[in-house]
Amino acid sequence: MYGYKGKMLKVDLTNEKITEEPLRMDFAEEYIGGKGLAARYLLEELKPGVNPLSPENILIFMTGPITGTNAPASAKYTVVTKSPATNTFLDCYAGGTFMADLKFAGYDGIIIKGKSEKLVYLEIRNEEIQLKDASQFKGKGVYETTEGIQKMEGKDFKVACIGPAGEKLVKFACITSELHHNLSRGGPGAVMGSKNLKAVAVKGEGEVEIAKPEEYKKFYKEVVKRDIMENPDVDWARTDGTPSIVDMSNEEGLLPTNNFQFGVFEEAKNINADTLKEKYLVKKVNCFKCPIGCRNVAEVREGKFKGLTIEGPEYETIALMGSNLGIGDLGSIIKLNDLCDNLGLDTISSGNVLAFTTELYLRGYLRKEDLDNIEPGFGNVDNYIKLLEKTAYREGAGNLLAEGVRGMVNKLGGRVRRFALEVKGLEYPGYDPRGSIGMALAYATSDRGACHMRAWPVGEEAFGDLNPFTTEGKAKLVIDQQNQNSLKFSMIFCDFYPVTVETMHKFYQLVTGKEVNLSEFERIGEKIWNLVRVFNVREGFRKKNDYLPERMMKDPLPSGPAKGKTVSKEDFEKMLMEYYQLRGWDEEGVPTKEKLKKLGLSKFSKMVK
């Protein structure tokens, strides 16, 4: 079999049963791999209404057809499940080399269900699979767990594991592979923790067969030269990485600051790409066979965190753990990033939770005694460290913070919703929609809650040539990006490669040997987006869940190019209804039977009644 390995690994933790089954090629031909293929398996195998933290939930590790080849920027895999933070479909992505080893071991993916009686880890040594006791790693961080498993099994094992946050079912706990590659949004680590699964350790020694190797080699060379080495649109990734966005966001007045109270941060120059390169950068590193090499290795060379080294920080971490917390020191951000990596916490949600907690404390909604006598204040790194540690272990006040922003609102009462930045329970990323109105629609309609990866209209608006304050054309822009990214995440290509549909199509055909019409191939992205919407509708989601936080509508930005701007309810409603109409969904955001039939999804019509 070309591209695919043709096998799925199924793990029943309750019964300690491990089996193999043939890959559903009918699924693969319709949904390719990655997001689409895992979504189809999830919809097939997960019953409606399942509690995400119950043994009945399913955790899927999935590769794509080009995973394990040297196709540029294809070094990613996805984990798919039902989110404990949002109760929606959830897909998260990480790079590195873990996914290549899984493919080389002989598997396209792993489907995990049930719950082990004790803490275990799954060892995959080519086709030798075992569940092993992980009790010695109970409560341990990601670093100690990874190093401990590698010491026992071998340095060449790739380890994806959870920290204490996952074990304690923190709603924004992540799964971390190879120390710093995080599958982070929406709580996949909590799902893994709920199953008493501490880690998955993989070693593979096989290879991926390519259907047309000579044509593939020729095309690969053309693509690397054209799309990467000679493409100025990729230069930023090779030189600065995502920290280059700090200045762009700040200059356009949409950099989250002090819980999104401001869009301009006075100390932005201290946490931007130039400062990272001048004072912290050690080297650039690559994921598996990637010619871009976007990842920064940074070291703190002075101050109280001197000697600390991590991969990162990325823009989202700098924005949410930096400016959004009023922190203008990159060394302190690196410390918070490192702490989250080891504890197994999503930095985006963590930054939102800490900022939300700070504003509630400063406004009198939380008292000092509510926070174990820890006084949060914008810029107070030491107290943020204490709160993160308490959150990861659900100790004292950390038990409240561990529920995430929406969970805090539910516990504290609706009066604090005014200051909450989330959609469907997923906290806001690093782009304020008041400075880029298309992002409001992108966040609201994202399948997993507020997310910048499903669509990134800010690139065309505030950072491009489109008017960032008008609704015109924004619904179509968001739809087009969501469809293309659904296809991209199913192949699976990295975000940092501006790959075209035509290039993806060519790689798919050369690797798998399967002939498919280009227009039909492109249509798969729309089909996958609608399939996932079916899943969410089945779980009870409708128009009421595609909303805009109150701050975005009621609090004008006080400075910068977006000064005085909000996203009005009228403008938001106009975009949303246009979005539904263009999607072929009804006024409640439910795909119509006609639309499902047109996409070949009629079999799911009963799920959207």
Side-chain angles (χ1 to χ4, degrees):
M1 188 171 291
Y2 299 111
Y4 303 99
K5 301 302 290 188
K7 287 191 301 184
M8 292 290 291
L9 188 65
K10 301 196 79 171
V11 181
D12 182 342
L13 292 168
T14 301
N15 299 309
E16 297 184 341
K17 186 178 180 182
I18 300 173
T19 57
E20 294 179 359
E21 68 174 33
L23 174 69
R24 288 286 302 268
M25 286 309 301
D26 54 334
F27 289 178
E29 288 175 358
E30 279 196 84
Y31 304 103
I32 301 178
K35 176 174 184 161
L37 183 55
R40 183 65 185 89
Y41 269 105
L42 190 70
L43 200 58
E44 182 81 4
E45 303 209 11
L46 187 68
K47 295 179 180 178
V50 164
N51 181 333
L53 296 177
S54 71
E56 288 73 32
N57 197 9
I58 295 169
L59 189 67
I60 303 174
F61 287 69
M62 189 68 77
T63 66
I66 61 171
T67 302
T69 71
N70 66 343
S74 64
K76 285 208 168 191
Y77 70 102
T78 184
V79 166
V80 166
T81 188
K82 183 179 178 182
S83 169
T86 64
N87 285 301
T88 64
F89 170 88
L90 178 66
D91 57 322
C92 301
Y93 300 82
T97 59
F98 178 93
M99 71 295 139
D101 267 67
L102 179 60
K103 200 79 167 284
F104 296 158
Y107 301 100
D108 294 297
I110 313 169
I111 299 177
I112 302 167
K113 66 177 182 178
K115 179 180 181 179
S116 173
E117 289 186 2
K118 61 182 180 181
L119 195 65
V120 297
Y121 69 93
L122 177 66
E123 181 192 84
I124 304 172
R125 188 188 299 263
N126 295 313
E127 294 186 349
E128 297 177 15
I129 321 295
Q130 298 181 68
L131 285 171
K132 292 189 171 183
D133 182 24
S135 57
Q136 62 183 300
F137 302 116
K138 187 175 179 62
K140 303 299 183 182
V142 165
Y143 302 160
E144 187 174 349
T145 300
T146 300
E147 291 164 5
I149 291 175
Q150 288 180 327
K151 185 176 181 180
M152 293 188 302
E153 307 296 350
K155 278 286 187 181
D156 48 357
F157 269 82
K158 309 303 185 297
V159 179
C161 66
I162 59 173
E167 291 182 47
K168 294 294 184 179
L169 311 184
V170 175
K171 295 293 179 62
F172 45 98
C174 57
I175 301 170
T176 302
S177 59
E178 300 167 84
L179 301 177
H180 298 291
H181 295 264
N182 299 306
L183 302 116
S184 51
R185 309 243 58 204
V191 175
M192 196 158 156
S194 73
K195 297 184 176 302
N196 268 334
L197 181 63
K198 182 67 174 179
V200 178
V202 181
K203 176 184 177 181
E205 298 173 316
E207 60 182 16
V208 176
E209 292 191 56
I210 295 173
K212 300 177 181 179
E214 295 307 315
E215 289 182 56
Y216 173 89
K217 289 177 185 177
K218 181 180 178 181
F219 184 64
Y220 167 80
K221 290 179 181 178
E222 293 174 358
V223 165
V224 170
K225 181 180 179 182
R226 180 194 70 211
D227 292 353
I228 296 175
M229 306 313 295
E230 297 179 357
N231 184 1
D233 291 338
V234 181
D235 285 345
W236 66 270
R238 290 199 301 269
T239 57
D240 296 355
T242 59
S244 61
I245 303 173
V246 172
D247 285 339
M248 296 163 61
S249 290
N250 201 53
E251 289 166 5
E252 295 301 326
L254 49 80
L255 180 65
T257 303
N258 292 17
N259 198 37
F260 286 81
Q261 293 182 79
F262 309 96
V264 175
F265 185 48
E266 293 181 358
E267 299 179 69
K269 67 180 185 340
N270 296 327
I271 60 174
N272 65 7
D274 289 340
T275 296
L276 177 66
K277 288 188 295 183
E278 290 170 12
K279 297 183 178 181
Y280 299 90
L281 185 64
V282 175
K283 61 181 178 179
K284 303 284 287 188
V285 293
N286 303 58
C287 292
F288 178 79
K289 294 189 177 182
C290 180
I292 298 177
C294 70
R295 295 185 66 83
N296 297 312
V297 174
E299 178 187 7
V300 182
R301 299 190 176 106
E302 58 184 30
K304 60 184 175 181
F305 305 123
K306 182 179 179 180
L308 187 61
T309 302
I310 66 166
E311 278 192 40
E314 300 291 345
Y315 166 73
E316 296 296 331
T317 299
I318 295 173
L320 277 306
M321 301 290 278
S323 57
N324 203 42
L325 294 179
I327 296 173
D329 170 57
L330 203 51
S332 296
I333 297 171
I334 289 171
K335 171 61 181 177
L336 294 175
N337 192 161
D338 178 72
L339 188 61
C340 284
D341 281 356
N342 193 34
L343 295 172
L345 291 168
D346 172 25
T347 57
I348 296 177
S349 289
S350 293
N352 272 280
V353 166
L354 292 176
F356 183 53
T357 300
T358 302
E359 185 168 0
L360 294 186
Y361 175 73
L362 295 175
R363 291 183 180 274
Y365 292 98
L366 286 172
R367 302 166 298 170
K368 185 176 179 179
E369 50 266 39
D370 295 326
L371 298 171
D372 303 334
N373 292 318
I374 300 172
E375 297 184 82
F378 291 116
N380 193 328
V381 178
D382 291 336
N383 282 352
Y384 286 143
I385 290 172
K386 294 176 184 177
L387 287 172
L388 281 175
E389 290 172 339
K390 282 183 171 288
T391 298
Y393 288 96
R394 282 191 178 267
E395 295 176 349
N399 200 45
L400 171 65
L401 276 60
E403 292 299 306
V405 168
R406 186 174 66 176
M408 293 174 69
V409 171
N410 292 339
K411 287 194 173 187
L412 296 173
R415 66 192 186 283
V416 303
R417 188 178 302 280
R418 182 78 167 75
F419 318 108
L421 281 304
E422 54 82 22
V423 174
K424 300 182 179 73
L426 193 66
E427 291 80 9
Y428 255 36
Y431 311 91
D432 193 315
R434 290 170 293 184
S436 181
I437 196 171
M439 291 304 298
L441 183 65
Y443 292 157
T445 58
S446 165
D447 47 16
R448 67 176 187 176
C451 176
H452 63 290
M453 292 177 64
R454 300 300 180 268
W456 202 62
V458 64
E460 304 292 330
E461 294 182 311
F463 303 157
D465 299 325
L466 295 182
N467 185 335
F469 306 119
T470 179
T471 64
E472 186 177 352
K474 300 306 167 61
K476 184 178 185 305
L477 175 63
V478 169
I479 288 171
D480 289 345
Q481 291 185 355
Q482 288 172 341
N483 289 349
Q484 179 157 345
N485 283 335
S486 292
L487 183 62
K488 189 174 185 177
F489 295 160
S490 298
M491 281 293 293
I492 309 168
F493 280 103
C494 177
D495 286 302
F496 301 160
Y497 173 27
V499 61
T500 63
V501 171
E502 290 78 10
T503 296
M504 288 191 281
H505 177 248
K506 184 77 169 180
F507 269 120
Y508 176 78
Q509 293 194 127
L510 292 177
V511 171
T512 67
K514 297 179 182 299
E515 298 295 328
V516 57
N517 180 275
L518 177 60
S519 61
E520 292 176 3
F521 182 80
E522 184 174 17
R523 188 81 161 177
I524 293 173
E526 182 184 11
K527 184 173 184 176
I528 291 167
W529 190 263
N530 278 267
L531 180 77
V532 172
R533 185 68 175 192
V534 166
F535 179 92
N536 285 346
V537 167
R538 188 191 77 168
E539 299 302 313
F541 286 82
R542 298 292 188 276
K543 178 177 182 287
K544 67 180 185 298
N545 305 105
D546 299 337
Y547 55 80
L548 188 67
E550 290 184 32
R551 169 151 284 166
M552 297 297 109
M553 293 185 287
K554 296 181 178 179
D555 296 346
L557 282 168
S559 59
K563 181 179 179 179
K565 296 292 185 180
T566 61
V567 180
S568 71
K569 185 176 181 180
E570 292 74 22
D571 279 348
F572 176 71
E573 185 74 12
K574 179 182 177 182
M575 287 192 299
L576 185 62
M577 297 315 294
E578 182 182 359
Y579 175 92
Y580 287 166
Q581 184 178 22
L582 291 174
R583 277 275 179 215
W585 299 353
D586 67 22
E587 292 185 354
E588 280 297 305
V590 177
T592 62
K593 289 184 178 180
E594 292 75 18
K595 185 64 177 182
L596 294 179
K597 182 179 180 180
K598 189 174 182 180
L599 292 172
L601 297 172
S602 293
K603 63 175 72 72
F604 303 110
S605 295
K606 293 181 179 179
M607 295 184 183
V608 297
K609 285 185 177 180

